[in-house]
Amino acid sequence: MKLKFVIASGNKHKIEEIKAILQSELDCEISVISMKEAGFTEDIEENGTTFFDNAYIKANALKNESWFSIADDSGLSVDCLDGAPGVYSARFAGEPCNDKNNNNKLLSLMENVPAEKRTAHFDSVIVCITPDGDCISAMGRCPGTILTAPRGTGGFGYDPLFYYESLNKTFAELTAEEKNSISHRAKSMHAFAGELKKYLKNFANLLKKHLEEHTDVNK
């Protein structure tokens, strides 16, 4: 059985991360495409107040009987900024929304913050709407600190400023394999994959029971 997943995002980096983790976790053939590739070109208004709210809004907008719609809402929360930028991470600096402006604003706000108070964490919430309308969700968190200057050329968003102490690297310095083993999205996706496996097993058992009952009735 081949499972089809449509990701409610146009961010190619995010889609590739999700695809790589799904392929490593699921023991079946899968297809993973973006919302645009599925023919969905409308803007989805993310007006929720939590990561779960926004992920659900996006996943629900793409629900379809032919695929699993998946949305991730994630962001950076800085302790000395009372959790900002949080759900506003992607548009922290306003228009035009881009990584450079967001990072520059973050550095400006934290200009005089000492090293020991630059703690932060990334959160990721995954929401999936199944073909029959059920909702599966999971969350992941990764702690770190915010540097005073960017390091690394990989990743996206706040990755060049987010320092992960255990590996002595920023997220922008990690390889794809390293990031997919420790990041907030990796954690939420691994948790989601576990929940999805339970769902698929239960669905298969229900289908088997239905077929057995149907066969008995027609004997």
Side-chain angles (χ1 to χ4, degrees), residues 55-190:
Y56 181 85
I57 289 169
K58 291 184 285 187
N60 194 55
L62 297 181
K63 67 180 179 181
N64 190 285
E65 294 180 354
S66 300
W67 60 63
F68 292 80
S69 63
I70 295 181
D72 155 87
D73 199 57
S74 53
L76 175 71
S77 295
V78 181
D79 295 328
C80 68
L81 299 180
D82 296 325
V87 295
Y88 305 105
S89 292
R91 50 194 186 277
F92 189 41
E95 298 293 342
C97 295
N98 60 59
D99 295 344
K100 182 179 179 180
N101 289 344
N102 288 336
N103 284 322
N104 285 340
K105 179 176 180 178
L106 181 62
L107 288 175
S108 177
L109 290 174
M110 299 182 67
E111 185 175 1
N112 298 314
V113 177
E116 67 272 13
K117 294 186 178 180
R118 301 179 74 91
T119 54
H121 57 268
F122 271 123
D123 282 328
S124 167
V125 174
I126 300 291
V127 171
C128 172
I129 305 297
T130 69
D132 58 358
D134 285 343
C135 176
I136 305 171
S137 66
M139 178 181 176
R141 173 171 290 185
C142 183
T145 56
I146 304 302
L147 299 182
T148 57
R151 275 174 36 185
T153 58
F156 59 98
Y158 299 95
D159 285 0
L161 296 177
F162 190 80
Y163 176 73
Y164 188 73
E165 186 175 7
S166 295
L167 296 178
N168 192 27
K169 294 180 180 180
T170 67
F171 267 21
E173 295 174 311
L174 299 176
T175 65
E177 291 75 19
E178 287 173 328
K179 189 175 182 182
N180 285 341
S181 67
I182 56 90
S183 77
H184 53 301
R185 188 168 298 111
K187 292 177 181 178
S188 64
M189 282 300 300
H190 288 309

Side-chain angles (χ1 to χ4, degrees), residues 7-35:
I7 312 300
S9 176
N11 187 318
K12 65 178 183 180
H13 300 287
K14 182 181 290 190
I15 293 170
E16 284 304 314
E17 284 184 12
I18 292 174
K19 181 177 181 179
I21 295 169
L22 281 174
Q23 288 177 328
S24 68
E25 289 282 347
L26 299 178
D27 300 323
C28 61
E29 188 177 1
I30 66 171
S31 169
V32 181
I33 62 174
S34 69
M35 56 192 286

Side-chain angles (χ1 to χ4, degrees), residues 187-201:
K187 292 177 181 178
S188 64
M189 282 300 300
H190 288 309
F192 163 69
E195 293 301 313
L196 179 60
K197 289 176 184 177
K198 293 178 186 177
Y199 168 84
L200 293 173
K201 182 177 181 180

